[in-house]
Amino acid sequence: MTAHVAPPASSATNPAVVVSNLRRAYGARVVIDRLNLRIERGEFVALLGESGCGKTTLLRALAGLDPIQGGRIAAPRRPAVVFQEHRLLPWDSLWSNVSLGLQLPDARERAAAALAEVGLGDRLDDWPRNLSGGQAQRVALARALVQQPELLLLDEPFAALDALTRIRMHDLVRQLVANHRPGVLLVTHDVDEAIALADRILVMRDGAIAFEYREAGGSGSIERTVLLAELGVLVSHAAA
């Protein structure tokens, strides 16, 4: 797998999002500078980078939660976001949490179908306080996907889960993305998670996409070694 500087967005058929020359600053501190990014429908992209490099700032800009100072973000519809915390409303039932914002007569039925997809179809009238951490994140995923988004943004949604639950969530996310075909941007610090889930891995540095890795998906240790090196982690070949 070859690393190279990510090229500008190219022509395509049906992109979930196109970002051109994006700039985001906090006062005099520039966090994102002339960033270009394209994610196609059905494509799973993972974003790695050191803490403070601008990963979450980019995700928040794509979600419309933060203003930008320059450039352009072109997305067909408002994206869905799953955060590290599930952010469920404790006073609402699970189906009410999932259908939040759905102004449709069949909102309960849609919520029921979404909860069934994440393995909680028998818990419609249950409450968030009765859920484990993994179950709460399943509900958060159902709430995101019930909107049928063209772009799904994942901000370290599995970071607080134990190792076994995390593996199960990876399997679930793969299946959900295959079923719904949104473009996906996963912000993570976990190199192994990025390799396991993504079609394409990006490394962010100095406010821009510094390197791009294609054909991810757990094909071997070479990718892991290269990625760790790009993130500034020195790993011996034996340890890798």
Side-chain angles (χ1 to χ4, degrees):
M1 183 172 58
T2 303
H4 57 84
V5 176
S10 59
S11 61
T13 53
N14 190 20
V17 65
V18 179
V19 180
S20 304
N21 294 315
L22 187 66
R23 186 178 188 275
R24 176 71 170 104
Y26 297 95
R29 185 169 68 92
V30 177
V31 179
I32 297 176
D33 189 24
R34 296 187 299 276
L35 184 143
N36 294 293
L37 172 66
R38 185 186 194 99
I39 300 175
E40 304 295 336
R41 289 289 303 273
E43 183 183 23
F44 201 123
V45 177
L47 182 63
L48 295 167
E50 297 180 356
S51 295
C53 73
K55 299 187 302 298
T56 296
T57 299
L58 172 60
L59 183 141
R60 289 181 60 85
L62 296 181
L65 299 175
D66 274 3
I68 61 175
Q69 281 75 43
R72 181 171 179 265
I73 298 173
R77 293 176 54 186
R78 184 175 179 84
V81 188
V82 180
F83 297 97
Q84 184 172 338
E85 302 83 16
H86 55 74
R87 302 193 180 187
L88 301 180
L89 302 177
W91 55 82
D92 273 345
S93 64
L94 299 192
W95 83 262
S96 295
N97 268 282
V98 170
S99 63
L100 188 67
L102 278 183
Q103 304 297 324
L104 298 170
D106 62 344
R108 181 182 170 93
E109 288 74 18
R110 287 180 178 238
L115 284 167
E117 269 199 286
V118 300
L120 294 171
D122 59 343
R123 305 284 292 273
L124 268 70
D125 296 307
D126 208 341
W127 303 94
R129 64 174 176 268
N130 297 326
L131 302 178
S132 67
Q135 289 171 334
Q137 284 300 74
R138 286 172 181 264
V139 177
L141 281 168
R143 181 175 58 190
L145 291 171
V146 78
Q147 306 285 345
Q148 298 181 337
E150 295 182 13
L151 178 63
L152 176 63
L153 303 172
L154 305 174
D155 190 8
E156 299 192 76
F158 317 125
L161 303 179
D162 65 80
L164 182 57
T165 302
R166 199 168 187 170
I167 292 170
R168 289 171 176 163
M169 290 296 290
H170 289 171
D171 291 339
L172 175 63
V173 167
R174 286 193 200 95
Q175 187 59 54
L176 292 173
V177 171
N179 291 344
H180 291 268
R181 302 296 293 168
V184 182
L185 180 66
L186 167 68
V187 169
T188 180
H189 284 96
D190 189 325
V191 170
D192 294 321
E193 182 170 84
I195 292 172
L197 290 174
D199 305 308
R200 185 160 52 109
I201 300 175
L202 308 177
V203 175
M204 192 168 179
R205 187 182 304 126
D206 298 327
I209 304 302
F211 288 90
E212 175 182 299
Y213 302 84
R214 295 184 181 276
E215 298 179 3
S219 57
S221 60
I222 297 176
E223 294 95 333
R224 187 176 190 275
T225 303
V226 172
L227 284 169
L228 287 171
E230 289 297 336
L231 293 167
V233 178
L234 298 177
V235 182
S236 67
H237 291 290

